[in-house]
Amino acid sequence: MFTFLPMKVSVSRKEHFNAAHRLYNPLWSDEKNSTYFGKCANPNYHGHNYELIVTLVGEPDPETGYVYDMKELSELIQKYVTSVFDHKNLNLDIVFFKNLNPTAENIAIVIWNILRQHINSKLDLKIKLYETERNFVEYPAA
Ligand code: NI
């Protein structure tokens, strides 16, 4: 037999943006930054093709059967995240990273905070961000 409670389902939308960054701690010497962050501390920046997966968790609406309209979710991500981050220099162009190292971890936290303001609080929000095909982070932690 099926068990009908709890009814929570996660729904996810994948989006994409390209951006440049430099990993750098201004409190450290250039030498220490290079030792720790390697090529990622390159003063002239480098780029990534970021894959962003936004997941919402909640109960399907009894009328529509949707947890969230995926078209709306896509538009929300594009309006508040990808159109803001795409083809930008994260360190120089995005105010959140003025004093915050734009690691994948911190980018995921920033994106969560941006989207959280626009999504009904009865839905849980999770961010998965791929910086490379093999390296990805999740916030809140899985
Ligand atoms: Ni990098």
Side-chain angles (χ1 to χ4, degrees):
M1 286 295 288
F2 292 111
T3 303
F4 288 104
L5 290 173
M7 284 276 284
K8 285 199 167 181
V9 180
S10 67
V11 299
S12 299
R13 174 75 191 180
K14 190 189 215 179
E15 297 287 346
H16 178 86
F17 62 94
N18 303 317
H21 74 167
R22 177 195 190 193
L23 301 184
Y24 184 81
N25 183 334
L27 301 176
W28 291 357
S29 67
D30 285 352
E31 192 183 16
K32 187 172 178 183
N33 273 288
S34 293
T35 302
Y36 190 79
F37 293 117
K39 286 189 285 189
C40 293
N42 177 355
N44 290 333
Y45 306 95
H46 64 275
H48 290 283
N49 299 316
Y50 289 96
E51 292 287 351
L52 168 64
I53 298 167
V54 176
T55 298
L56 301 179
V57 183
E59 295 191 7
D61 181 275
E63 280 186 66
T64 64
Y66 283 174
V67 171
Y68 202 89
D69 185 304
M70 296 305 268
K71 185 170 177 289
E72 263 182 52
L73 181 57
S74 172
E75 286 169 0
L76 206 61
I77 299 165
Q78 285 175 36
K79 181 174 180 185
Y80 294 108
V81 180
T82 52
S83 72
V84 179
F85 286 27
D86 191 40
H87 284 74
K88 297 290 171 57
N89 180 310
L90 298 177
N91 303 74
L92 300 180
D93 299 332
I94 307 295
V95 66
F96 303 106
F97 301 111
K98 197 169 170 57
N99 296 304
L100 182 68
N101 206 10
T103 58
E105 291 88 330
N106 283 332
I107 298 167
I109 292 169
V110 164
I111 291 172
W112 186 93
N113 278 285
I114 292 170
L115 290 177
R116 184 72 275 184
Q117 302 170 50
H118 303 285
I119 290 165
N120 191 312
S121 60
K122 72 182 180 190
L123 299 173
D124 292 333
L125 170 64
K126 298 177 179 185
I127 301 298
K128 187 182 282 190
L129 183 70
Y130 282 79
E131 192 169 71
T132 69
E133 276 182 32
R134 292 165 187 262
N135 293 344
F136 64 95
V137 301
E138 292 179 272
Y139 182 77

